[in-house]
Amino acid sequence: MLVAIRKKELHLSMESLLYIAGIIALAAIVFLVVFVIITIRSAKQTMDQVSGTLGNLEQQVSGITTEANELLEKTNQLTNDMQSKSAKLDGLFEGAQQFGQTASHLNQSFDQVAAQVTQSASENKEQINQAVTWGTAAIDLIKKIKK
């Protein structure tokens, strides 16, 4: 009978161990499900934050792109304006260069004429002196005749 009681106790004990194992397995599954839910919620929050950050980043990049395009357009306009003004100044500088060349030619011509006059005066010094002397004498004579 002791053996039968022991078998019954052992059977009850095995049965209770099965219930305890089932409860532990159920608790582990519940714990695992709760942990997975917490992890998924945390991941969802993180993904929401990442989505918000990416949205802000997209807006900022869009604003920067718009500003960069406007800056590029203004730069192109300034470049075109500078090129047109530079082309106008090219004509002015060309005219100034031609004026400088003309002035240089005039100076050379005046120098040549002055050199020729000086040379001619040197060569004809004697004749000039005689002409001045005769001119003075003629003026004096005319003055005497008029008196």
Side-chain angles (χ1 to χ4, degrees):
M1 171 122 167
L2 194 54
V3 175
I5 292 177
R6 286 235 183 249
K7 278 188 179 180
K8 215 175 198 185
E9 281 180 16
L10 188 62
H11 184 48
L12 283 175
S13 178
M14 288 291 264
E15 224 176 88
S16 51
L17 282 176
L18 272 172
Y19 285 122
I20 292 173
I23 291 172
I24 291 174
L26 182 62
I29 290 173
V30 167
F31 177 74
L32 184 64
V33 167
V34 169
F35 182 74
V36 168
I37 289 172
I38 291 172
T39 304
I40 288 173
R41 283 187 180 172
S42 177
K44 183 182 180 302
Q45 288 176 348
T46 303
M47 293 304 264
D48 289 343
Q49 289 175 351
V50 168
S51 176
T53 302
L54 286 175
N56 289 337
L57 184 63
E58 183 180 354
Q59 288 175 349
Q60 290 176 356
V61 168
S62 175
I64 290 171
T65 301
T66 302
E67 290 176 12
N69 286 338
E70 289 173 1
L71 182 62
L72 186 61
E73 286 178 27
K74 288 180 183 178
T75 302
N76 287 339
Q77 289 173 353
L78 285 173
T79 301
N80 291 339
D81 186 44
M82 287 179 64
Q83 286 176 344
S84 67
K85 289 180 180 176
S86 176
K88 291 176 184 176
L89 286 176
D90 286 345
L92 179 67
F93 286 128
E94 187 177 306
Q97 182 182 13
Q98 289 176 354
F99 178 76
Q101 289 173 351
T102 303
S104 176
H105 289 301
L106 278 174
N107 283 339
Q108 288 175 356
S109 296
F110 285 138
D111 288 344
Q112 288 175 353
V113 168
Q116 287 176 353
V117 167
T118 303
Q119 182 181 4
S120 181
S122 295
E123 290 175 356
N124 298 324
K125 188 176 184 180
E126 181 101 9
Q127 292 173 353
I128 292 173
N129 281 337
Q130 286 179 0
V132 170
T133 305
W134 281 102
T136 305
I139 291 174
D140 286 340
L141 185 63
I142 292 174
K143 282 183 185 178
K144 284 183 185 180
I145 292 176
K146 282 187 177 180
K147 280 185 185 183

